Amino acid sequence: MGAALSNPIFMRLRHALGESAVESDGAGRPRAVPETTDGVAQVCGLAHEQGWRVRLEGRGSWMPPDAPADLALTTRGLSRIVGVAAADLVATSEAGVPLALLQRELAAAGAWLAIDPPGHPERSLGSIVATGTAGPLRHGFGPLRDHILGGTIVTGDGRVIKAGGSVVKNVAGYDLTKLQVGGFGAFGVVTQLHLRLRAAPALRLTLLARAERDVLTRQARALAEAQIAAAALELFSPQLAAATEWVLALELTGTEATVEAEAARVVSHSEVSWSRLPPEPASAFWNATARGPLAAPITLRLGVFPDGIDELIDLLHEQLQPGLLSAGPGRGMLRWSGNAAVDALRAVRRIAAEREVPLTLERAPWPVRYALGHFGAYREGVGVLVAKLRNTFDPDPTFPVALEGEHE
Amino acid sequence: MTAPLARSLAGIVGPRWVRSRPAELRTFEADGLPTHAARPRLVVLPGNRSEVTDVIGALHRAGIPWVARGAGTGLSGGALAESDSVLVVLTRLNRILSLDSARQRAVVEPGVVNARLSEAALPFGLHYAPDPSSQSACTLGGNVAENAGGPHCLKYGVTTNHVMALEVLLPDGSLVRLGSPQGESWGPDLVGLFVGSEGMFGIALEITLRLTPVPPAIRTLLADFATVRAASEAVSAIIARGIVPAALEMMDQACIRAVEASIFAAGYPTDAGAILLVELDGQAEAVAGESSEVEALLCQAGARTVRAASTPAERARLWQGRKKAFGAAGRIAPDLVVQDAVVPRSSLPDILERIAAIGRSHQLIISNVFHAGDGNLHPNISYDSRDPELSARVKLASREIMAVCVAAGGSITGEHGVGVDKLDYMPLIFDPESLRAMCAVRRVFDPAGRANPHKVVPVHYCKEWGRH
């Protein structure tokens, strides 16, 4: 700590933010813990002026805090739920608020943010937004971007920008919020978010079916064709579901009458048998499958149509270890977590690209991110736009974010 | 000056598709909003993508600004071109390029009319969910530019929630492919950034859209209330119950009377303070259950009568007055300004009272027809634009209405875009830094600022942003 305290960056930050807003990270470097958007802007402005590189962190439970930098900046001090307007179904929250805490506050007001991203329940909103990670509820409620109405962004050089608004429908100005969702912090730090809520459903019912994978993907297709109004429909590998077989999980939400009617339709369109989970085991099942990826160092997602999931799982099995797999057989998308060498991941990305399937590296240690990039394979002309956008929001990059695999 | 340009563009699209005579240009002077008109330098109507590419390439080389236009139904002045600009009309690019029913995707050219896509998808049990009131005329390219909405966006989402991928012609004549048909992007969400950019980032030459299954059961309820406040309370009660209707629309008395006096009469009770149209869709059992719940909520909130319709013909009749409300307003006065503000749902009754008061203080006729479920107001001011004093009052009242909506935490536009009409209101909701950031993002796509110039962000905010 003594060495850290004499670090000139440490001293400058403490001078600017106050003693308590700067701590030492695990490696003895300074970590700024600002409690306001202005505080974040101050850190970024100072860093930009001094040429310091700033590693962005949330609550430290998803992306490893290992990007090389002169200092860290965590959003965990931005921990206020600014407002919940349950009647308007919108909420405003700072980016460092843990999702679980927000959900508890919302539930008390009869509202719900219909997202269930992978990772720890205490994951910060900012981390979820920056990585654009969505869980099984995307089946019924859309990708993460559909839940974000706007927010406040601090650029790499310390400017504060407002994007979007706090009403559910809004087309005033360009939609800069979209760039932040899944932008991995390359276009600034999100400090505050306006969120679109749903009324908390009267009933949530989870049904599970266990069988061979191809039986379950066929079953999922039958349910999709029958237009089963599911909130979630997700396929889990045995390892991820802690089961001996593959598991197809279905969640129905609504009033008791609508949920029961839909459950009866599920059964009538099924060749497999379903087990009903009582509320507590159901919640434990979804939490465990969400946390599953944390057992492995690398998580990636593949943007695949439902009819391509089987083939892609086979590909992953050939190229990588089986890993922990989940997939959306109704709306598409596949998530794999495991360990693999950079070359193997690169090969998978290349083969996927040949099949027109984008692969996004959601989470990995820095050397893997650095080598592969979160995105890697851009379409023609896109790389130039991304570079210019990045330069707009983070000129002379303050934030070490490996969007592209620059080092093949 | 214009003749050589006209000849050069005629060399690309053929002389028939270049308009330069004043009488021809008049058709393209407005976009349905009487408060703004501009006569373009020239109008060019390319017939296919290579002609569009060549036209934009030629304009880029000549340094001439241009404005892309669909059907011209935007109501924000967004598709108007000033006398130095060429209007590039895309309505001839009207092919549905592919329709994949299994994957529920369609690829269309920008000039395809919104309703035509749903017609084409219907045999496969699918439809395109966003349904602006102008859907029988407006184009999908225009919908992408404005991030258009519509009554059914309450449940199904607006345009941006349905655009999966785009092939974009940038203002320098180069092409980029954004997004993927699956919806997962190959990088940051540039599709999301492009949708709603009001024609200032380029032209979407190919649009990949998500189609939605046609629900097996649909039920429409019409409830009438003595007051707007009672109708607004019914809206809140339905939303709070966790029911998401496919549509939840309100019309006030002024609007009901205009509709009922017109050829679009739908049998709405003319003594009602407000009516609500509630549409529920989904599986038959769920629709039946929700509809009896909604009916009970409507009655609790003070509905005088509730009518229900399940057959397509009955539903069409209930909807007719709503869909044609803007047309019916033509009976009140020759011109109509359609505003497009959004407010938090819970503030609807107060805001509507404030709007009525603004109307009274300026002696203007304001009728309201709007998407109550998502707080997207359309206060309509009927007037005669030939009367300059009256026009000045309309302008004043519009600004006051916007200020009231913004003060309630709302937005200046929910689905029509900023265009030129709401340009002056942008600083009401965005600070200078945020406006400068928007200008900087625009420069990424269009460094020379030639695509739809002088729209969305007031030009004096676009001077400084970093070192670019």
Side-chain angles (χ1 to χ4, degrees), chain A residues 79-90:
Chain A
S79 56
R80 278 169 299 268
I81 296 170
V82 180
V84 177
D88 297 321
L89 293 180
V90 296

Side-chain angles (χ1 to χ4, degrees), chain A residues 332-353:
Chain A
M333 216 273 271
L334 191 157
R335 176 172 285 122
W336 176 92
S337 302
N339 200 1
V342 165
D343 284 346
L345 293 167
R346 195 170 276 149
V348 170
R349 178 175 267 163
R350 183 176 45 74
I351 299 168

Side-chain angles (χ1 to χ4, degrees), chain B residues 14-67:
Chain B
R16 191 181 156 205
W17 301 109
V18 177
R19 309 281 153 82
S20 56
R21 287 199 294 273
E24 295 175 322
L25 298 180
R26 279 208 63 180
T27 317
F28 300 95
E29 273 183 359
D31 70 351
L33 198 63
T35 41
H36 297 278
R39 189 168 296 185
R41 175 173 174 177
L42 271 181
V43 175
V44 57
L45 296 101
N48 56 49
R49 53 178 289 146
S50 84
E51 287 182 7
V52 180
T53 310
D54 290 349
V55 164
I56 298 305
L59 294 173
H60 172 64
R61 285 189 297 278
I64 294 169
W66 52 272
V67 178

Side-chain angles (χ1 to χ4, degrees), chain A residues 65-354:
Chain A
D66 56 358
D70 300 296
L71 69 143
L73 165 61
T74 171
T75 57
R76 70 162 201 266
L78 303 163
S79 56
R80 278 169 299 268
I81 296 170
V82 180
V84 177
D88 297 321
L89 293 180
V90 296
T92 298
S93 172
E94 290 184 336
V97 170
L99 177 61
L101 176 71
L102 178 69
Q103 294 288 30
R104 282 197 295 276
E105 289 271 322
L106 296 178
W112 178 41
L113 178 61
I115 64 169
D116 57 349
H120 198 280
E122 299 295 312
R123 238 186 120 178
S124 72
L125 290 173
S127 156
I128 296 162
V129 169
T131 56
T133 40
L137 287 172
R138 73 189 181 284
H139 176 86
F141 299 100
L144 188 71
R145 79 209 279 267
D146 294 2
H147 303 265
I148 315 294
L149 301 169
T152 306
I153 303 148
V154 175
T155 63
D157 54 355
R159 290 175 233 217
V160 179
I161 295 166
K162 300 268 167 65
S166 56
V167 280
V168 295
K169 202 170 168 193
N170 188 5
V171 296
Y174 311 133
D175 197 351
L176 303 185
T177 317
K178 294 288 189 292
L179 206 50
Q180 301 300 329
V181 181
F184 291 96
F187 308 101
V189 200
V190 175
T191 58
Q192 195 176 87
L193 289 156
H194 304 301
L195 304 160
R196 178 185 199 134
L197 309 177
R198 262 81 184 166
L203 185 65
R204 299 178 70 167
L205 174 65
T206 297
L207 300 173
L208 296 188
R210 296 176 177 84
E212 294 288 317
R213 172 160 56 100
D214 56 340
V215 173
L216 294 180
T217 48
R218 198 166 58 235
Q219 177 61 66
R221 270 199 293 279
L223 296 180
E225 272 164 32
Q227 290 190 39
I228 297 295
L233 179 63
E234 194 84 358
L235 180 70
F236 295 101
S237 66
Q239 226 185 332
L240 184 52
T244 51
E245 288 180 288
W246 287 73
V247 172
L248 183 62
L250 176 76
E251 187 177 35
L252 302 169
T253 58
T255 60
E256 193 172 341
T258 56
V259 167
E260 286 306 332
E262 213 54 7
R265 288 207 323 119
V266 169
V267 172
S268 72
H269 285 91
S270 291
E271 57 169 313
V272 298
S273 61
W274 294 91
S275 57
R276 275 178 181 241
L277 293 192
E280 277 184 24
S283 152
F285 172 83
W286 294 111
N287 280 336
T289 48
R291 287 171 79 138
L294 296 176
I298 298 169
T299 300
L300 48 89
R301 69 168 180 264
L302 291 141
V304 60
F305 275 115
D307 59 14
I309 285 175
D310 265 323
E311 205 183 315
L312 213 55
I313 291 177
D314 291 340
L315 170 76
L316 291 172
H317 281 177
E318 278 163 32
Q319 301 285 327
L320 309 170
Q321 54 167 247
L324 304 154
L325 274 162
S326 62
R331 301 277 153 85
M333 216 273 271
L334 191 157
R335 176 172 285 122
W336 176 92
S337 302
N339 200 1
V342 165
D343 284 346
L345 293 167
R346 195 170 276 149
V348 170
R349 178 175 267 163
R350 183 176 45 74
I351 299 168
E354 284 164 9

Side-chain angles (χ1 to χ4, degrees), chain A residues 88 162 169-170 301 356, chain B residues 182 184 345-346 411 434:
Chain A
D88 297 321
K162 300 268 167 65
K169 202 170 168 193
N170 188 5
R301 69 168 180 264
E356 295 291 318
Chain B
Q182 301 90 304
E184 185 74 29
R345 280 175 278 233
S346 57
S411 173
S434 305

Side-chain angles (χ1 to χ4, degrees), chain B residues 85-106:
Chain B
S85 299
V86 171
L87 196 64
V88 182
V89 178
L90 298 165
T91 46
R92 292 178 66 214
L93 279 82
N94 58 4
R95 290 181 306 158
I96 296 172
L97 299 171
S98 69
L99 204 156
D100 183 339
S101 61
R103 289 177 161 180
Q104 305 183 349
R105 296 289 186 272

Side-chain angles (χ1 to χ4, degrees), chain B residues 152 155-156 215 217-219 244-246 279-283 286-287 290:
Chain B
H152 288 84
K155 178 170 179 177
Y156 293 100
I218 307 174
R219 196 167 167 83
V244 184
E279 188 154 286
L280 298 154
D281 69 9
Q283 294 301 325
V287 169
E290 285 187 341

